Amino acid sequence: PSDKQISSCDPALRPIIRRRARSLPTSPERKRAAVRCQVPGCLSRMNRVRFADALGLELTEVKVFQSGEDPSIPLHVLSRLSINSDLWYSSLDLEFTMQCLVPDFQQPADCMDFSSRLQAQQVCLERVTSSNLGLSGTIHVRNIAFEKRVSVRYTFNQWKSLHELSAQWHSSIPEKNGQDQVDVFTFFLPVPPFLLQVCSVVQFAARYQVNGQEYWDNNRGKNYSLTCRTHPLKMPRECEESWIHFI
């Protein structure tokens, strides 16, 4: 058979239609800059690469600086560079100061006579800690009766005026003799900001009411006192970057 007969048996070929993806129109400058094919008779445009975000907006922008013109640097970048430079040229350890209330007494729980004091007074402060928010502490009382009330009486001005707050029951633990029980109460004493000044003093005493009786722990008549003092804080150089982010 001839070539014509063979080709006539082939299925008819249909042109493949290719749809071109559409995007947002380019800027007039890009249209004018488009390079066309130099082959005679070819009217098609050469392919170009364009970077765009999800909305089709340009990701790149060309900025031309004139001779002697300085680029504009954001203020927050300059301040960050300034802080980093100051820290870098400082000493190996960064030193800061802060004010906090420091106990003027040894923590009762750390004293050898803690148990005997509790036996004699029926109530005894165990420990107190301070923060920039206030004082937190624990008080031990002997379990004389189920109904009881524990409170803290305190002053900020050498007892010219006084305040009182209730402590909250926390837990029960056996006494060292193994026969009686001790109830543990906790309290939080908020400290106003004006007290976080050097030499400011807070004084307090623990009060225990049970079976119509009243017992006190006032640090053997001296009251428990805390004085605001200045303490230095040192930060190692390796924490420098973390401190920048904290600022």
Side-chain angles (χ1 to χ4, degrees):
S2 62
D3 293 339
K4 290 184 178 181
Q5 292 177 339
I6 294 174
S7 60
S8 63
C9 296
D10 294 335
L13 300 178
R14 291 181 297 175
I16 299 175
I17 301 177
R18 295 183 178 177
R19 300 187 64 179
R20 186 177 180 181
R22 293 185 177 183
S23 61
L24 293 180
T26 58
S27 61
E29 291 79 3
R30 289 184 178 275
K31 287 184 179 181
R32 289 194 295 268
V35 181
R36 297 185 176 277
C37 180
Q38 301 299 321
V39 178
C42 178
L43 301 179
S44 62
R45 213 165 38 176
M46 293 183 66
N47 293 333
R48 292 177 58 84
V49 177
R50 175 171 173 260
F51 298 96
D53 60 12
L55 298 178
L57 302 178
E58 301 290 345
L59 288 179
T60 58
E61 182 180 357
V62 178
K63 172 67 177 177
V64 179
F65 290 95
Q66 303 296 331
S67 177
E69 180 183 358
D70 295 329
S72 177
I73 302 177
L75 182 60
H76 71 277
V77 175
L78 289 176
S79 60
R80 178 67 64 86
L81 291 174
S82 177
I83 294 173
N84 191 39
S85 175
D86 292 341
L87 292 176
W88 178 259
Y89 288 106
S90 63
S91 59
L92 293 179
D93 289 335
L94 307 177
E95 184 170 323
F96 305 89
T97 59
M98 66 173 295
Q99 285 75 35
C100 62
L101 290 168
V102 180
D104 299 321
F105 54 90
Q106 185 179 4
Q107 298 285 356
D110 298 333
C111 298
M112 298 296 294
D113 62 345
F114 177 71
S115 296
S116 60
R117 288 174 63 179
L118 178 59
Q119 287 283 340
Q121 301 172 164
Q122 310 299 323
V123 54
C124 190
L125 174 73
E126 179 191 24
R127 193 177 299 277
V128 64
T129 58
S130 64
S131 68
N132 59 339
L133 298 179
L135 304 177
S136 301
T138 52
I139 300 172
H140 285 200
V141 298
R142 298 190 66 198
N143 187 22
I144 298 175
F146 179 77
E147 294 291 337
K148 58 178 67 72
R149 182 176 185 267
V150 179
S151 59
V152 174
R153 184 171 291 184
Y154 62 97
T155 181
F156 298 139
N157 54 12
Q158 300 293 329
W159 301 107
K160 294 177 183 178
S161 62
L162 55 88
H163 311 274
E164 191 161 340
L165 58 86
S166 296
Q168 305 298 320
W169 182 87
H170 180 266
S171 60
S172 295
I173 59 175
E175 210 167 353
K176 282 196 172 180
N177 57 22
Q179 298 176 356
D180 301 321
Q181 274 200 329
V182 173
D183 285 333
V184 181
F185 282 75
T186 62
F187 68 90
F188 176 74
L189 195 162
V191 174
F194 71 82
L195 275 178
L196 293 180
Q197 299 177 3
V198 178
C199 296
S200 297
V201 178
V202 179
Q203 292 178 288
F204 70 91
R207 184 186 187 190
Y208 177 31
Q209 296 169 288
V210 60
N211 277 353
Q213 299 293 319
E214 186 174 271
Y215 304 95
W216 287 87
D217 176 21
N218 56 8
N219 193 23
R220 293 171 176 159
K222 296 180 293 185
N223 295 315
Y224 292 102
S225 65
L226 297 94
T227 303
C228 185
R229 306 182 190 279
T230 300
H231 278 265
L233 295 177
K234 290 187 177 181
M235 180 185 303
R237 172 56 66 85
E238 53 266 22
C239 298
E240 176 182 325
E241 288 298 326
S242 299
W243 181 254
I244 292 177
H245 291 296
F246 176 75
I247 294 177

